[in-house]
Amino acid sequence: MTRSAEQGWRVLRGWAGRHAGFFTIRQATRTGCAARVRAGLDDGSVIRVGAGVLRLSEWPEHPLDEYAMWAAWFDGGVAVSHHSAAELHGLGTLRPRYMHLSVRVGRAPTTPRVVVLRRTLTEGDVQSAGSFLVTTPVRTVLDLAETGIGQTALNEVVADAVAIHRCAVAEIVDAGAALSPRAANRMYRAVTMA
């Protein structure tokens, strides 16, 4: 391997390391490692996990791998949000059928399992979950107040958030001031039940 190919491989491995070993063909091409990745597919050090998504085989499987894989797909510019974030934070019992991801830019995958929401989140709206980002508990509560989930389900999410100290009532109320009147009313009703 040439010096630049070695450097590209180190960059790609570093990138994959931030996302539980996952990377995309686009990232391999950008780093100049397409040939090294093809060789890795042949020798088993790289495995194909989906259309355009690969993984370094040395990484052990983990229950949250799907989130890390989508983080790699969107070049790290994605956050698990809404129902999926509530499930990760242990808020309520929503049991989402889809994975909810919030992204500003990027090509959405063609899979019915993923719901991509186009929006810009601030640094204060997200937190690290290791190999991917997730909306904060407060942002998650606000997002769910704006969705069509039932009031009882929202009440449960807010009650859990307060009971397990994911966020304080005052935090929710302060952040809720930016919501639409309908969503704010739903959120305040949930807070009074917590």
Side-chain angles (χ1 to χ4, degrees), residues 55-130:
R55 189 177 200 188
L56 299 174
S57 63
E58 67 205 51
W59 283 84
E61 289 188 18
H62 189 273
L64 302 179
D65 277 349
E66 191 173 13
Y67 299 110
M69 180 185 74
W70 292 119
W73 176 273
F74 285 103
D75 291 328
V78 64
V80 177
S81 63
H82 294 77
H83 303 66
S84 302
E87 181 179 53
L88 286 171
H89 289 302
L91 309 179
T93 54
L94 300 178
R95 294 184 186 91
R97 292 183 304 177
Y98 306 101
M99 182 181 303
H100 297 84
L101 302 174
S102 290
V103 302
R104 188 174 61 76
V105 296
R107 183 173 55 94
T110 54
T111 175
R113 167 114 172 83
V114 175
V115 174
V116 175
L117 303 137
R118 300 285 179 182
R119 64 190 187 143
T120 300
L121 295 169
T122 68
E123 195 174 299
D125 288 332
V126 297
Q127 63 187 51
S128 174

Side-chain angles (χ1 to χ4, degrees), residues 19-189:
H19 301 289
F22 293 100
F23 62 96
T24 66
I25 291 172
R26 291 184 323 270
Q27 293 154 356
T29 302
R30 281 196 312 250
T31 57
C33 295
R36 174 61 182 94
V37 169
R38 279 191 297 276
L41 286 166
D42 289 340
D43 70 23
S45 62
V46 174
I47 55 174
R48 188 175 308 278
V49 294
V53 182
L54 307 161
R55 189 177 200 188
L56 299 174
S57 63
E58 67 205 51
W59 283 84
E61 289 188 18
H62 189 273
L64 302 179
D65 277 349
E66 191 173 13
Y67 299 110
M69 180 185 74
W70 292 119
W73 176 273
F74 285 103
D75 291 328
V78 64
V80 177
S81 63
H82 294 77
H83 303 66
S84 302
E87 181 179 53
L88 286 171
H89 289 302
L91 309 179
T93 54
L94 300 178
R95 294 184 186 91
R97 292 183 304 177
Y98 306 101
M99 182 181 303
H100 297 84
L101 302 174
S102 290
V103 302
R104 188 174 61 76
V105 296
R107 183 173 55 94
T110 54
T111 175
R113 167 114 172 83
V114 175
V115 174
V116 175
L117 303 137
R118 300 285 179 182
R119 64 190 187 143
T120 300
L121 295 169
T122 68
E123 195 174 299
D125 288 332
V126 297
Q127 63 187 51
S128 174
S131 57
F132 58 92
L133 297 174
V134 61
T135 53
T136 63
V138 171
R139 177 75 258 165
T140 301
V141 167
L142 299 180
D143 289 344
L144 292 173
E146 293 176 317
T147 68
I149 70 168
Q151 186 65 45
T152 302
L154 183 60
N155 294 352
E156 182 183 16
V157 166
V158 172
D160 285 352
V162 172
I164 62 176
H165 306 290
R166 297 277 191 227
C167 41
V169 170
E171 280 182 286
I172 298 170
V173 171
D174 288 347
L179 294 175
S180 70
R182 179 186 167 280
N185 184 35
R186 285 171 39 84
M187 193 264 315
Y188 290 127
R189 278 188 278 158

